[in-house]
Amino acid sequence: LPLPAPVDSVEALQFAVHRLVDDFAGWLGAHGLGAVRISLSLVHERYVRDRGTPPTLATFALGAPSRMPAHLMTVLRERLSRIALPAPVEAIVLVGDEAAPLAGRNLGLLPEDGIDAVTVPLVERLRSRLGDDVVTTLALRDEHRPEQAAREMPALPANVQPRTQATRPPTASRRAKSPARNAPVQRTPPRPLWLLDCARPLGVVLEAAPWVLRDGPERIESGWWDGGDCRRDYFVAETPDGEIAWIYRDHRHATDDGEWFMHGLFA
């Protein structure tokens, strides 16, 4: 889309970007597709291009295929707000780098049935505003020690996660080993929402006022092979102030009177 005059402000580009997004959303709807990756190129004036300045590029990967103009405009607006223009812009180019099939939906019978509030996921808003590398998520690890049971990963969209190899349908022998539908579900030990970076000793605190043990013990013993040996009995405890904490008693020295530590807090 060529602009009628060079623009040196990102805010002044919003109307032109909205026009391109509307056209792009219509094309996606006609082809039964939803955008997965989009990029917006801001083409600078000719004398700047002749000096070797490339177009300013803003790219974004959506968490799920979408063709709603309000959704696409929201993420592009957030991404544009982080751009500092090196020179005035004379044209903008919107490219759908990747698309995926997106089924249509039935329209409502009444006029108000067609009014849908466009909800942009929080992760997409944060990634578009702060950057893809800033927003991260936690992934579980096969580790019993709580402080090593999670690792930090980029908050990638669901459609760009590594694909898993398809598995065969279960055989008759495998079905026979599956648990019955009415079998009791194994209870998962409680875990706090907030895990402290470093366990906090409770010796002086417990001497001042005792805590009430609500659940436990849960024995976690691991790490003797890598130098991070731990032998702990975890409890869910209530503090004198009514807070619910995750505490443990350290038994690394094979004694029954190990020191108490607080490792997390429940919401």
Side-chain angles (χ1 to χ4, degrees):
L1 178 66
L3 302 178
V7 174
D8 57 1
S9 170
V10 172
E11 291 76 12
L13 295 173
Q14 301 289 343
F15 178 79
V17 173
H18 197 286
R19 177 178 170 183
L20 278 182
V21 167
D22 284 340
D23 293 343
F24 182 49
W27 183 90
L28 291 171
H31 292 77
L33 299 174
V36 175
R37 295 180 184 271
I38 53 179
S39 60
L40 188 69
S41 298
L42 308 179
V43 183
H44 301 291
E45 291 183 294
R46 181 175 180 179
Y47 77 92
V48 179
R49 301 198 307 270
D50 292 342
R51 296 177 181 175
T53 301
T56 300
L57 186 63
T59 62
F60 193 77
L62 299 173
S66 175
R67 57 170 174 258
M68 296 293 293
H71 187 173
L72 301 178
M73 191 62 199
T74 298
V75 296
L76 285 175
R77 186 187 301 114
E78 296 287 355
R79 185 53 59 94
L80 282 173
S81 65
R82 302 175 53 244
I83 292 179
L85 296 177
V89 177
E90 68 175 11
I92 56 177
V93 181
L94 179 64
V95 178
D97 299 310
E98 183 180 348
L102 182 63
R105 60 181 181 85
N106 295 327
L107 299 177
L109 179 63
L110 302 177
E112 56 269 18
D113 293 340
I115 302 176
D116 292 334
V118 177
T119 303
V120 180
L122 176 62
V123 173
E124 286 192 8
R125 286 181 176 271
L126 293 176
R127 289 176 56 242
S128 59
R129 179 175 299 183
L130 304 177
D132 296 336
D133 298 334
V134 177
V135 183
T136 59
T137 184
L138 293 178
L140 296 179
R141 297 177 58 189
D142 293 332
E143 173 61 59
H144 292 289
R145 288 168 289 187
E147 62 272 16
Q148 300 184 25
R151 57 192 176 95
E152 192 173 346
M153 294 182 60
L156 295 176
N159 46 60
V160 298
Q161 295 290 345
R163 296 181 179 179
T164 57
Q165 186 176 5
T167 57
R168 297 179 302 172
T171 60
S173 60
R174 291 179 180 175
R175 292 195 199 98
K177 296 180 181 179
S178 61
R181 179 175 300 179
N182 297 328
V185 180
Q186 185 177 3
R187 181 176 178 270
T188 302
R191 290 292 182 268
L193 180 64
W194 179 17
L195 192 70
L196 302 181
D197 293 336
C198 184
R200 185 183 307 169
L202 294 176
V204 178
V205 177
L206 295 181
E207 291 178 1
W211 293 13
V212 180
L213 300 181
R214 297 297 187 187
D215 194 4
E218 177 194 353
R219 171 61 62 94
I220 295 181
E221 186 171 354
S222 180
W224 60 85
W225 58 87
D226 60 4
D229 185 18
C230 76
R231 189 180 297 112
R232 310 166 184 166
D233 284 341
Y234 277 88
F235 297 85
V236 178
E238 181 179 351
T239 69
D241 297 332
E243 297 178 332
I244 305 299
W246 202 38
I247 67 176
Y248 69 85
R249 203 169 194 178
D250 190 359
H251 296 295
R252 283 179 298 173
H253 304 294
T255 59
D256 295 332
D257 56 350
E259 187 176 359
W260 288 94
F261 292 86
M262 183 173 69
H263 207 176
L265 290 170
F266 291 87

